[in-house]
């Protein structure tokens, strides 16, 4: 048993001074109690505030290799789709060794920026020509191993991929993402699940996965209560193609395939319309926004006001890992919404004054729910996943116990303020 004694602890009751956080040998929070004379403390943490670690709901680790390398002209008219060609070229080059190396690197960066769990939306599965490796989950295993070695908690979201788009078979570059059949995909998902690795399932998109696969994969998700994640409505072209092929929009198609429910997280929903948002709300589904990536790729700005109005839980993802900073993701979710709607406090429903605690919940608690994890709060019974904030950091100068979450979300970068990161009761990163 450990007893951590920072200056402040951020609990569901707010920021509390003079507390001891007790952590079991298994890395679970046992209790948060007021410190009294003579109480056993194993770790004095002066000048630090302990906050829950962030949950990164959507990552493609290998895309870290593209950072800074896709900004020059790729075509006459650069869009998401021209960026995608560069990403495919990068995906083609990956080997089990190189995907391990880059994942290990990016997971280390995530820990340094305060993410303690990550949902890895993993879609590079097979050899470049599409033939499976001797071990069909070799690349997924390499990513999981990278997470273990770095010290971050990885939830492997095993991606299903079947075709190029609504009308086309996979291109040569997409072959290694694809399983030969639905059965082959589900066998790989089942092997992962019974191995005990935290996992979920993730049809890539309605473009890449046909309706009969969506139905079967949603069934499988319900059978084992596994998170079900899917990209949808990131680009208008996807919506137009879906309307043409299926006579409905992507989120409507998910509903038609019984793939919308409380286990569902729709990634992006950038161009979701009113009816799609109603369907998400009725289903109890979550939306994961990825503001730095959506900005980098020119996707658009999510309909934040309507999503918040519909009480849809939001989470954040670093997606292409072009930036790793949960404060920046949260800030840009709110800032881009302010620019879209030309008003302030868009992500904050009426009746809530301070925005910071709710933005934090998007980055922690709601993310944990979307990945099926018992973490995201400093409370008994949850995993001991923490960040330790340096209360003397110049960026925080002038903070008060009432406004620390606001000062962090609107005034700080992760690398200015985070001194330590803890996962499952273990300090896995410190500066
Ligand atoms: Zn993505």
């Amino acid at each position: 048993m450990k007893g951590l004694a920072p200056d402040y602890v951020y609990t569901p009751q707010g920021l509390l001074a003079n507390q001891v956080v007790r952590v079991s040998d298994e890395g679970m929070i046992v209790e948060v109690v007021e410190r009294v004379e003579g109480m056993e403390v194993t770790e004095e943490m002066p000048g630090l505030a302990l906050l829950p670690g962030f949950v990164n709901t959507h990552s493609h680790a290998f895309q870290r290799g593209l950072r800074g390398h896709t900004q020059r002209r790729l075509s006459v008219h650069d869009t998401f789709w021209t960026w995608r060609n560069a990403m495919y070229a990068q995906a083609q080059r990956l080997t089990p060794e190189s995907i391990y190396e880059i994942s290990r690197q990016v997971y280390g960066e995530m820990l340094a920026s305060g993410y303690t769990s990550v949902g890895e939306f993993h879609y590079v599965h097979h050899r470049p020509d599409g033939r499976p490796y001797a071990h069909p989950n070799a690349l997924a295993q390499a990513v999981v191993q990278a997470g273990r070695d770095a010290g971050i908690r990885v939830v492997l979201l095993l991606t299903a991929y079947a075709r190029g788009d609504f009308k086309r078979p996979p291109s040569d570059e997409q072959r290694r993402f694809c399983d030969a059949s639905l059965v082959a995909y589900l066998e790989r998902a089942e092997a992962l699940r019974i191995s005990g690795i935290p996992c979920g399932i993730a049809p890539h998109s309605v473009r890449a996965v046909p309706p009969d696969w969506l139905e079967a994969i949603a069934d499988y998700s319900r059978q084992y209560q596994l998170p079900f994640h899917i990209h949808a409505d990131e680009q208008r072209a996807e919506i137009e193609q879906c309307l043409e092929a299926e006579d409905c929009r992507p989120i409507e198609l998910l509903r038609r395939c019984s793939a919308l429910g409380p286990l569902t997280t729709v990634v992006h929903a950038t161009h979701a319309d009113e009816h799609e948002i109603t369907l998400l709300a009725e289903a109890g589904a979550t939306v994961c926004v990825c503001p730095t990536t959506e900005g980098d790729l020119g996707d658009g700005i999510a309909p934040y006001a309507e999503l918040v109005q519909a009480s849809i839980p939001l989470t954040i993802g670093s997606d292409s890992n072009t930036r790793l900073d949960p404060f920046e993701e949260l800030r840009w979710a709110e800032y881009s919404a302010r620019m879209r709607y030309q008003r302030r406090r868009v992500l904050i429903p009426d009746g809530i004054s301070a925005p910071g605690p709710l933005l934090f919940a998007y980055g922690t608690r709601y993310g944990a729910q979307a990945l099926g994890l018992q973490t995201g709060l400093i409370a008994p019974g949850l995993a001991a996943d923490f960040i330790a904030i340096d209360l003397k950091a110049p960026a925080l100068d002038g903070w008060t116990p009432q406004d620390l979450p606001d000062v962090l979300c609107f005034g700080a970068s992760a690398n200015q303020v985070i001194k330590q990161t803890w996962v499952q009761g273990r300090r896995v990163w410190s500066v």
Side-chain angles (χ1 to χ4, degrees):
M1 180 91 82
K2 290 189 183 81
L4 314 184
D7 285 1
Y8 288 88
V9 182
Y10 186 64
T11 74
Q13 289 75 44
L15 194 69
L16 305 179
N18 200 37
Q19 306 287 309
V20 173
V21 181
R22 293 202 182 285
V23 175
S24 72
D25 294 340
E26 292 75 41
M28 305 303 284
I29 300 168
V30 177
E31 59 180 359
V32 182
V33 288
E34 185 154 14
R35 185 172 188 176
V36 293
E37 187 95 17
M39 191 176 267
E40 197 190 332
V41 164
T42 54
E43 181 102 13
E44 297 283 357
M45 303 175 81
L48 299 178
L50 217 54
L51 277 68
F54 286 100
V55 177
N56 184 355
T57 315
H58 187 75
S59 157
H60 309 286
F62 82 87
Q63 292 181 12
R64 167 65 180 83
L66 296 170
R67 186 186 291 180
H69 302 307
T70 60
Q71 303 296 336
R72 295 188 186 199
R73 172 169 280 196
L74 299 169
S75 71
V76 178
H77 179 62
D78 278 322
T79 64
F80 169 89
W81 305 102
T82 56
W83 169 86
R84 194 176 72 158
N85 294 335
M87 182 270 284
Y88 281 176
Q90 164 87 355
Q92 277 298 98
R93 291 191 288 270
L94 292 169
T95 64
E97 294 74 28
S98 70
I99 202 169
Y100 170 86
E101 288 300 331
I102 198 153
S103 302
R104 172 107 197 241
Q105 144 78 16
V106 75
Y107 291 153
E109 281 184 67
M110 283 184 199
L111 290 169
S113 63
Y115 290 117
T116 49
S117 301
V118 55
E120 180 63 32
F121 199 108
H122 172 73
Y123 61 90
V124 187
H125 300 307
H126 305 301
R127 297 177 205 269
D129 63 5
R131 283 179 305 125
Y133 288 97
H135 186 320
N137 279 335
L139 294 185
Q141 294 283 1
V143 170
V144 168
Q145 191 58 46
R148 281 196 194 121
D149 294 347
I152 198 167
R153 180 182 301 102
V154 174
V155 177
L156 202 288
L157 301 168
L158 191 76
T159 302
Y161 214 108
R163 61 187 186 183
D165 66 28
F166 293 94
K167 289 184 179 154
R168 265 180 285 269
S171 65
D172 286 348
E173 295 89 350
Q174 292 166 324
R175 261 180 231 295
R176 66 184 315 191
F177 312 158
C178 294
D179 285 294
S181 67
L182 174 61
V183 169
Y185 166 74
L186 288 174
E187 279 175 4
R188 291 198 305 116
E190 183 63 2
L192 202 63
R193 189 187 69 81
I194 61 177
S195 73
I197 290 168
C199 62
I201 48 183
H204 179 276
S205 56
V206 296
R207 275 180 281 127
V209 176
D212 59 326
W213 284 47
L214 287 172
E215 283 171 22
I217 294 168
D219 272 348
Y220 182 77
S221 148
R222 276 188 296 275
Q223 186 178 355
Y224 296 105
Q225 292 294 296
L226 296 173
F228 177 104
H229 287 223
I230 185 165
H231 297 112
D233 286 357
E234 181 177 9
Q235 288 287 321
R236 291 188 194 281
E238 177 189 70
I239 298 172
E240 287 158 17
Q241 290 167 15
C242 190
L243 280 165
E244 194 186 321
E246 300 289 344
D247 201 26
C248 66
R249 297 167 66 93
I251 292 170
E252 293 169 338
L253 183 59
L254 293 178
R255 164 70 175 260
R256 194 199 286 172
C257 295
S258 304
L260 274 191
L263 294 166
T264 308
T265 294
V266 168
V267 181
H268 302 300
T270 312
H271 301 287
D273 75 0
E274 197 180 311
H275 183 236
E276 290 179 293
I277 291 170
T278 303
L279 293 179
L280 289 168
E282 284 172 0
T286 296
V287 167
C288 173
V289 293
C290 309
T292 60
T293 294
E294 289 154 7
D296 183 34
L297 301 184
D299 290 337
I301 302 169
Y304 286 103
E306 292 78 3
L307 292 168
V308 169
Q309 173 76 26
S311 303
I312 292 168
L314 300 179
T315 70
I316 53 167
S318 66
D319 197 354
S320 64
N321 298 309
T322 192
R323 285 287 296 137
L324 284 164
D325 186 335
F327 300 124
E328 189 171 329
E329 297 297 344
L330 293 166
R331 185 157 59 236
W332 272 99
E334 171 64 20
Y335 275 2
S336 60
R338 290 181 184 189
M339 289 191 274
R340 173 172 170 151
Y341 296 93
Q342 292 154 54
R343 61 184 174 89
R344 304 179 78 216
R345 296 170 48 79
V346 178
L347 270 64
I348 317 303
D350 292 342
I352 292 180
S353 182
L358 181 62
L359 294 178
F360 256 85
Y362 294 152
T364 55
R365 184 154 65 84
Y366 293 169
Q369 282 166 11
L371 293 176
L373 297 174
Q374 301 297 312
T375 184
L377 286 172
I378 301 186
L382 300 188
D385 299 341
F386 310 129
I387 54 173
I389 297 289
D390 176 9
L391 294 169
K392 296 195 172 63
L396 302 182
D397 201 24
W399 73 277
T400 68
Q402 287 72 39
D403 68 7
L404 184 64
D406 292 351
V407 176
L408 286 167
C409 286
F410 292 96
S413 299
N415 61 13
Q416 293 175 307
V417 296
I418 297 177
K419 290 282 250 193
Q420 302 176 8
T421 305
W422 294 64
V423 177
Q424 201 79 36
R426 239 170 25 100
R427 183 169 28 217
V428 288
W429 183 85
S430 63
V431 67

